Amino acid sequence: MKPFCRVVSLFTLVASLGQISIASAHEEGDLILRIGATSVAPDESSSLINTAATGDLAGTSVGVGDNTQLGLNLVYMLTDSLAVEVLAATPFEHDLKAAGLDQYGFSTRDLGSSKQLPPTVSALWFFGGAQSRVRPYLGIGVNYTTFFSQDLSSQARSELAAGSLDIDDSFGLAGRAGIDITLSDNWLLNASVWTIDIDTDASFESALGKVKAGVDIDPMVYMISIGYKF
Ligand code: NI
């Protein structure tokens, strides 16, 4: 788990931009809807792959691929600086890879794929004042990630006799950093990141009995969006 250290360096890049002023930026009572491209980039580490027949398989691991979807982000300003934010998105779909099975006589690398939704609720603190055109922010949140539509690859099915892929849901903390640049009374540009603690256990049935691995997905989530202020 590493929610916070990575957001600080981004923040120091943008904090100095918070000085420029215009007539109307974020203030208490504003509701901001942001829509944009949202990328989930796992920074995963996994346990060894374990099978019921053999125990841990030294030198193996599980990897998780990147994915980009349309993200929706709703912010409500509780004061001129404090806000609550919800992240929603169309489902992300990630490739699941196995590494190291070749040492054991299996050529399977592509395990399959899974969809996931990572709804995240965060408290945000906006720097600068209500009149600042550029408002960087930091936040902390809670994430729930649910995995669904898990599919095993045809190779995993044929070579490993794999079936019944199961990936546990995850509940964890999220760190948050971003910047809103006001364009007009209602429109703004946004760039932001989440760093989310997503830890899960994956398993499937196989010719070697139950196959299990613990995977810390711990992604960086990047969003570039346009926002509309109501
Ligand atoms: Ni973690």
Side-chain angles (χ1 to χ4, degrees):
M1 108 161 228
K2 42 203 157 185
F4 304 111
C5 42
R6 288 182 292 188
V7 301
V8 172
S9 55
L10 178 85
F11 172 69
T12 53
L13 284 176
V14 299
S16 59
L17 297 173
Q19 317 303 334
I20 315 156
S21 290
I22 57 145
S24 164
H26 305 359
E27 55 194 7
E28 179 179 339
D30 283 350
L31 185 64
I32 303 162
L33 177 65
R34 306 188 190 113
I35 298 177
T38 306
S39 284
V40 175
D43 181 21
E44 78 275 25
S45 58
S46 93
S47 71
L48 298 175
I49 296 173
N50 176 289
T51 82
T54 64
D56 286 345
L57 296 173
T60 59
S61 64
V62 173
V64 182
D66 294 0
N67 192 243
T68 299
Q69 294 291 335
L70 184 67
L72 257 182
N73 193 223
L74 197 61
V75 176
Y76 181 71
M77 301 297 296
L78 299 168
T79 73
D80 288 353
S81 296
L82 182 66
V84 60
E85 177 202 59
V86 179
L87 166 68
T90 49
F92 296 94
E93 182 163 12
H94 298 271
D95 291 334
L96 306 173
K97 304 285 183 191
L101 291 179
D102 49 321
Q103 308 165 71
Y104 301 94
F106 299 106
S107 60
T108 297
R109 289 168 181 270
D110 170 20
L111 283 180
S113 65
S114 177
K115 294 187 177 181
Q116 57 99 354
L117 277 173
T120 305
V121 178
S122 304
L124 305 182
W125 182 264
F126 284 82
F127 296 86
Q131 306 309 313
S132 304
R133 191 168 85 91
V134 177
R135 299 212 58 186
Y137 54 90
L138 286 176
I140 182 171
V142 175
N143 165 264
Y144 178 76
T145 298
T146 182
F147 297 90
F148 57 97
S149 298
Q150 295 101 332
D151 281 322
L152 286 157
S153 69
S154 54
Q155 186 179 20
R157 288 178 189 281
S158 58
E159 186 180 61
L160 308 174
S164 304
L165 176 60
D166 180 59
I167 304 175
D168 291 349
D169 292 352
S170 167
F171 192 71
L173 288 178
R176 188 76 176 100
I179 186 167
D180 279 333
I181 301 171
T182 296
L183 301 176
S184 70
D185 278 353
N186 293 107
W187 293 96
L188 58 92
L189 283 177
N190 171 269
S192 68
V193 300
W194 290 255
T195 172
I196 308 181
D197 190 31
I198 301 177
D199 301 337
T200 187
D201 291 310
S203 66
F204 59 85
E205 300 298 335
S206 81
L208 297 172
K210 187 163 248 186
V211 177
K212 295 185 292 187
V215 187
D216 291 357
I217 302 172
D218 296 347
M220 292 290 283
V221 179
Y222 304 94
M223 184 174 189
I224 300 288
S225 62
I226 54 167
Y228 187 86
K229 200 182 315 176
F230 293 91

